[in-house]
């Protein structure tokens, strides 16, 4: 891949030009990051909007049609749906563990096989997340197992 950076004129707007044969998933995510300028994610807690680095999030969970982001110290609500988060977050770090949970792979302390071909992930805060058989092959691929 070739990267070219050009200095713009004072009256020009910042511009990102992408030349490629096709837009793959990783390139689409990168473009979205540029468009939205997201470094931090916005969540809601106690009628406040709170900005949190995605790396701080241990996992996202959908409960009763609401999605929550769990960090080591807090729980926040997000207006995004799990499928939207799955598209926006880096797939190399955030992994869909089951129908209701997305896990930060960097926050997993251990994995244990359990009954029925599933795995249980223990996160840094001690919380246990069940990894569905449907997502197990993707997890093994991401971890190089």
């Amino acid at each position: 891949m070739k990267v070219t950076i050009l200095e713009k004129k004072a009256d020009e707007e910042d511009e990102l030009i992408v030349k490629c044969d096709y837009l793959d998933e990783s390139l689409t995510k990168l473009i979205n990051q540029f468009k939205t300028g997201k470094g931090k994610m916005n969540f809601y807690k106690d009628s406040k909007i709170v900005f949190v680095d995605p790396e701080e999030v241990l996992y996202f969970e959908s409960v009763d049609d609401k999605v929550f982001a769990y960090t080591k110290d807090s729980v926040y609500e997000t207006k995004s749906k799990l499928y939207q988060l799955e598209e926006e977050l880096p797939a190399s770090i955030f992994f869909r563990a089951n129908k209701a949970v997305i896990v930060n792979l960097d926050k997993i302390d251990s994995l244990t096989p359990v009954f029925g071909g599933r795995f249980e992930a223990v996160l840094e805060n001690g919380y246990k997340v069940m990894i569905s058989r449907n997502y197990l092959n993707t997890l093994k691929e991401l971890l190089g197992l």
Side-chain angles (χ1 to χ4, degrees):
M1 176 191 304
K2 176 179 155 186
V3 176
T4 305
I5 300 174
L6 303 173
E7 197 170 317
K8 67 179 179 109
K9 295 177 185 170
D11 62 336
E12 289 182 322
E13 183 180 350
D14 287 341
E15 178 181 25
L16 175 67
I17 299 171
V18 177
K19 290 183 183 181
C20 59
D21 290 329
Y22 64 95
L23 277 176
D24 64 5
E25 179 184 341
S26 62
L27 197 52
T28 302
K29 288 179 184 176
L30 183 63
I31 291 167
N32 286 336
Q33 283 181 313
F34 277 107
K35 284 166 66 175
T36 60
K38 284 188 179 178
K40 293 190 174 193
M41 300 179 78
N42 58 321
F43 300 129
Y44 300 88
K45 183 172 182 159
D46 301 328
S47 303
K48 294 180 191 174
I49 298 174
V50 182
F51 300 97
V52 177
D53 284 318
E55 297 84 29
E56 292 181 36
V57 177
L58 299 169
Y59 65 100
F60 294 91
E61 184 175 31
S62 176
V63 179
D64 296 331
D65 292 328
K66 292 184 180 183
V67 177
F68 298 93
Y70 296 80
T71 64
K72 192 171 187 176
D73 302 317
S74 296
V75 178
Y76 305 99
E77 184 178 348
T78 177
K79 300 299 180 195
S80 298
K81 301 291 183 193
L82 277 183
Y83 75 88
Q84 293 169 320
L85 291 169
E86 194 173 17
E87 290 172 3
E88 294 170 7
L89 294 166
S92 59
I93 300 171
F94 288 91
F95 162 75
R96 185 72 171 251
N98 60 53
K99 189 172 137 181
V101 176
I102 295 175
V103 175
N104 183 338
L105 290 173
D106 293 337
K107 304 298 182 183
I108 295 176
D109 275 344
S110 66
L111 289 169
T112 307
V114 293
F115 181 74
R118 298 175 296 167
F119 270 68
E120 181 179 76
V122 178
L123 305 179
E124 286 180 357
N125 65 348
Y127 184 77
K128 296 176 182 178
V129 174
M130 197 59 64
I131 303 195
S132 165
R133 288 179 301 180
N134 296 338
Y135 300 100
L136 198 53
N137 286 337
T138 305
L139 176 64
K140 287 181 179 180
E141 186 179 303
L142 287 168
L143 297 178
L145 301 174

